[in-house]
Amino acid sequence: MGTAERADRFYAEQVLDRLNPRMREFVTRQEMFFLATADRRGECDNTFRAGPPGFLHVLDDTTLTYPEYRGNGVHASLGNIAENPHVGVLMVDFLRDRIGLHVNGRADVVADEVMRRSHPALPVDPVPGRRALVWVVITVEEAYIHCAKHVPHLQRVPARGTGRSWGTDDVKRKGGDFFGAAADAAERGPFLPPPRADAASWRAEAERVLARAVRQDPGTDGGAAPTTGPRAGSDPGTERGSEAGATGFSGWFSRSARG
């Protein structure tokens, strides 16, 4: 695009390999961020995370962590991280500074009890839907500004009704079928769950994944380091297939069964 010199200047002046004090302060007051992940084939997912200010915790200048809840049970981000640890975090302050912060790095999934042994000051919420199942620990590799040029300046308005229902399992409060997808599902093709041998095999697989998370040690070298499990370049589908008697997962929906 003819912008190599501009790009080089940006990297030289704006891209850090850690969070400086102003970046850390920015993170601690954010109430939301966007998380980009990809599986081992490079198929991408982008999701939204929100919570009270500080729910994305700064452990040190190279380590961030946030809790994952039970949600809708899909756990797409956690599944991608298990196959490919590279993540991208985008925080945007729409309300005050009208600026953004990118953080790219490598993520590990750590069991709640393991995190709390290393970081006992982490908050505890007694509501089931807001109780952390696991924590995602991100080791920072790049941190850089998202410029203000096209960031809209938003304004807070008084909450309507009871406000936000953090962690609710009520379908209507979560948004229900807001986009009317249920009515269009028949046109999509039949839903095909991931191939599974039987319930017992997949329960054993889930227990194995959780056991691997328990074996993480987030207190080593400023971040989490797995003691076992797939990393970038490995093929967790093959690993799952050998243990659960399943073939590799090739998609959620069949588009060849219409008609």
Side-chain angles (χ1 to χ4, degrees):
M1 301 291 288
T3 63
E5 290 186 7
R6 291 177 61 195
D8 289 344
R9 187 165 58 250
F10 180 81
Y11 264 85
E13 297 176 356
Q14 293 295 324
V15 181
L16 303 180
D17 62 352
R18 61 193 60 243
L19 302 171
N20 68 17
R22 294 192 67 174
M23 290 174 174
R24 296 198 296 271
E25 187 277 331
F26 182 87
V27 173
T28 59
R29 55 185 171 82
Q30 299 311 304
E31 298 179 62
M32 59 183 175
F33 67 88
F34 301 91
L35 176 70
T37 60
D39 65 14
R40 66 184 181 276
R41 295 180 296 271
E43 295 182 1
C44 301
D45 183 75
N46 190 279
T47 190
F48 175 74
R49 292 287 184 270
F55 83 106
L56 179 60
H57 301 269
V58 178
L59 298 182
D60 56 50
D61 62 356
T62 60
T63 317
L64 298 173
T65 189
Y66 70 90
E68 281 281 3
Y69 308 110
R70 65 188 183 190
N72 59 11
V74 175
H75 298 306
S77 299
L78 293 179
N80 284 348
I81 290 169
E83 297 188 354
N84 177 355
H86 299 284
V87 299
V89 173
L90 172 62
M91 292 159 272
V92 183
D93 183 345
F94 297 99
L95 303 175
R96 194 180 93 175
D97 296 318
R98 202 170 55 81
I99 203 80
L101 175 65
H102 291 265
V103 175
N104 298 327
R106 297 173 68 91
D108 285 297
V109 180
V110 182
D112 182 61
E113 59 269 26
V114 175
M115 281 296 292
R116 295 191 186 281
R117 283 199 297 269
S118 300
H119 305 282
L122 290 173
V124 179
D125 197 313
V127 178
R130 299 197 300 254
R131 187 177 302 149
L133 296 180
V134 295
W135 293 77
V136 175
V137 179
I138 300 170
T139 301
V140 177
E141 295 179 337
E142 293 181 330
Y144 55 93
I145 190 173
H146 186 97
C147 73
K149 185 165 58 174
H150 299 297
V151 175
H153 195 180
L154 306 183
Q155 215 173 346
R156 289 190 184 276
V157 297
R160 292 180 294 179
T162 57
R164 291 173 291 189
S165 302
W166 294 109
T168 182
D169 280 329
D170 184 280
V171 174
K172 289 186 177 179
R173 290 185 179 181
K174 289 193 293 185
D177 188 23
F178 181 86
F179 292 104
D184 297 330
E187 301 299 320
R188 174 204 61 207
F191 168 72
L192 299 175
R196 49 177 62 89
D198 53 65
S201 296
W202 280 84
R203 188 176 300 109
E205 165 68 4
E207 292 171 354
R208 186 189 68 79
V209 171
L210 288 174
R212 188 174 72 229
V214 170
R215 290 194 294 270
Q216 309 289 331
D217 182 4
T220 302
D221 296 330
T227 57
T228 184
R231 303 303 297 159
S234 67
D235 188 345
T238 302
E239 183 181 9
R240 279 196 294 268
S242 63
E243 294 195 12
T247 57
F249 175 42
S250 60
W252 291 98
F253 304 109
S254 168
R255 290 179 171 81
S256 61
R258 292 185 183 179

